[in-house]
């Protein structure tokens, strides 16, 4: 579905929600919900784990429903799984037809887009003033907040960083206990890897800019869009990120298929790449494959240490007929116990401080948890997701040689400004 069609869906949604507000009593009860309320709540979730753990994921969600039912015995909770692919369009289509869920999962850049169009209900209005958010990490609360309103409760945090092949490191004279922290240190090591016939790092150009361009922009000291809405991606710091990607590609530090691939995990496991860009789930996948020759390194810095790491949240749509109950369900799904169970299975990092102890005995996830302080959840702006395909296309054109880094950066900046002006 094209972006013009998504725009039309948003218009339909706005009309739908406006009519619903006029025809129903939608005034918040301030978190006061009758324990004897009767309803069926539908929750849309995604495959957060592989097929081999699908039953365990179902068990985690079933336990959340069972715990909620202790407080609200007359409420039925239905979990329905939808694929990651095209999830935005599926959600918008269902919500426009008034057939959507009462609770669903979002990440911050999509949240900002949906919130800006009135698709979501601020969740603090539904939970009440006495709801305590002190156990959530401050950064995770910031990630679910848009225009001073909290639109969801966070269930997970993520950090993306380099995971190195220790066999390759030793072969090229690297030290697994003293890994690169700067661009220059990394490139020096990547050059040694190249000289031995390896690629320096993975670069999955078919992925979103969150996993490719943005971490480099932030590490250079730049930003994509400032908090006051200025487009910064083509300034000196942003341009430096484009130039670094071009350098890696031209100098064969990243594979030739980096232009559009979405899989460099396989060649890393096959021993062809010194470092793979990954997260906790990457480490889990390595362990499942019996791959032991790895070590987790820190996010890099040029001006500052920074990386991408999303914050996952559960939200309530504006046209849910049971918004207050749905908000209470979200509170249960993000409780300490629920967070511990969910993140232990999925290998994400809990958003609740009290739940992070699940990784006290896991050196790899403890390291990931240490690095989460450097992670940004992306660009929290309504146009963030809309411009992703343009960014991918411009990076591809740059790597192919049809555009210079400045031309690509300027084209991305123009696309962002054009979307803002619509």
């Amino acid at each position: 579905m094209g972006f013009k069609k998504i725009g039309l869906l948003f218009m339909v949604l706005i009309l739908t929600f406006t009519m619903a507000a006029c025809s129903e009593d939608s005034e918040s009860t301030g978190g006061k919900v009758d324990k004897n309320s009767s309803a069926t709540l539908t929750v849309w979730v995604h495959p957060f784990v592989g097929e081999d753990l699908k039953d365990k994921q179902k068990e985690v969600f079933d336990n959340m429903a069972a715990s909620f039912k202790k407080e609200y015995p007359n409420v039925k909770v239905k979990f329905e799984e939808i694929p990651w692919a095209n999830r935005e369009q599926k959600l918008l289509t269902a919500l426009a037809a008034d057939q959507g869920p009462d609770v669903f999962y979002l990440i911050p850049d999509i949240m900002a887009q949906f919130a800006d169009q009135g698709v979501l209900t601020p969740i603090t209005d539904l939970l009440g003033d006495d709801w305590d958010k002190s156990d959530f990490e401050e950064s995770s609360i910031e990630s679910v907040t848009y225009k001073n309103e909290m639109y969801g409760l966070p269930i997970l945090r993520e950090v993306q960083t380099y995971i190195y092949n220790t066999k390759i490191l030793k072969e090229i004279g690297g030290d697994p206990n003293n890994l690169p922290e700067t661009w220059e240190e990394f490139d020096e090591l990547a050059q040694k890897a190249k000289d031995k016939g390896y690629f320096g790092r993975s670069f999955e150009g078919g992925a979103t800019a969150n996993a490719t361009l943005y971490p480099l922009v932030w590490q250079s000291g730049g930003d994509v869009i400032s908090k006051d809405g200025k487009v910064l991606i083509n300034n000196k710091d942003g341009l430096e990120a484009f130039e670094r990607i071009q350098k890696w590609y031209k100098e064969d530090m990243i594979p030739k298929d980096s232009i559009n691939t979405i899989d460099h995990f396989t060649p890393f496991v096959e021993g062809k790449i010194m470092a793979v860009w990954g997260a906790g789930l990457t480490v889990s996948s390595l362990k499942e494959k019996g791959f032991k020759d790895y070590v987790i390194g820190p996010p890099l810095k040029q001006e500052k240490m920074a990386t991408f790491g999303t914050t996952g949240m559960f939200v309530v749509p504006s046209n849910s007929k049971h918004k207050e109950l749905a908000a209470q369900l979200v509170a249960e799904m993000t409780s300490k116990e629920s967070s511990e169970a969910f993140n232990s299975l999925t290998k994400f990092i809990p958003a609740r401080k009290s739940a992070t102890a699940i990784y006290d005995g896991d050196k790899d996830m403890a390291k990931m948890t240490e690095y989460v302080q450097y992670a940004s959840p992306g660009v929290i702006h309504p146009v963030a997701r809309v411009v992703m395909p343009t960014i991918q296309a411009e990076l591809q054109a740059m790597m192919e040689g049809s555009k210079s880094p400045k031309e690509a950066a300027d084209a991305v900046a123009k696309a962002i400004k054009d979307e803002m002006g619509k």
Side-chain angles (χ1 to χ4, degrees), residues 146-275:
Y146 177 67
K147 292 185 176 178
N148 299 317
E149 292 279 11
M150 276 181 57
Y151 281 95
L153 296 184
I155 181 67
L156 65 86
R157 294 179 296 160
E158 176 200 45
V159 59
Q160 296 186 4
T161 190
Y162 290 102
I163 302 168
Y164 294 82
N165 182 312
T166 52
K167 280 188 175 181
I168 295 177
L169 279 178
K170 292 172 183 176
E171 182 181 344
I172 65 177
D175 182 358
N177 297 311
N178 186 25
L179 295 168
E181 292 186 355
T182 68
W183 286 9
E184 286 70 26
E185 289 170 357
F186 179 85
D187 283 4
E188 182 180 347
L189 203 59
Q191 181 61 51
K192 292 178 180 179
K194 176 193 165 185
D195 292 344
K196 289 287 187 177
Y198 305 106
F199 294 108
R201 62 155 287 179
S202 64
F203 190 89
E204 296 170 343
T208 69
N210 288 328
T212 56
L213 177 66
Y214 290 172
L216 296 171
V217 172
W218 299 325
Q219 288 166 12
S220 72
D223 207 344
V224 181
I225 303 171
S226 68
K227 289 184 178 180
D228 60 356
K230 293 180 181 177
V231 179
L232 304 177
I233 196 167
N234 63 333
N235 67 8
K236 180 180 71 69
D237 296 324
L239 179 58
E240 196 171 17
F242 283 84
E243 291 171 340
R244 185 62 50 153
I245 293 170
Q246 185 190 55
K247 167 184 164 66
W248 285 339
Y249 190 73
K250 280 189 171 181
E251 297 182 6
D252 295 323
M253 291 185 182
I254 58 178
K256 285 301 180 188
D257 67 352
S258 295
I259 291 176
N260 52 26
T261 188
I262 57 171
D263 177 29
H264 276 166
F265 177 78
T266 299
F268 175 78
V269 172
E270 292 172 348
K272 298 176 181 177
I273 301 177
M274 177 186 71

Side-chain angles (χ1 to χ4, degrees), residues 19-30:
M19 292 172 65
C22 293
S23 62
E24 295 182 18
D25 180 11
S26 57
E27 185 178 351
S28 172
T29 57

Side-chain angles (χ1 to χ4, degrees), residues 330-349:
V330 169
E332 176 58 44
M333 292 176 67
T334 56
S335 68
K336 176 179 181 291
E337 294 75 16
S338 295
S339 294
E340 288 173 338
F342 177 88
N343 289 287
S344 293
L345 176 66
T346 60
K347 298 306 175 188
F348 288 107
I349 299 163

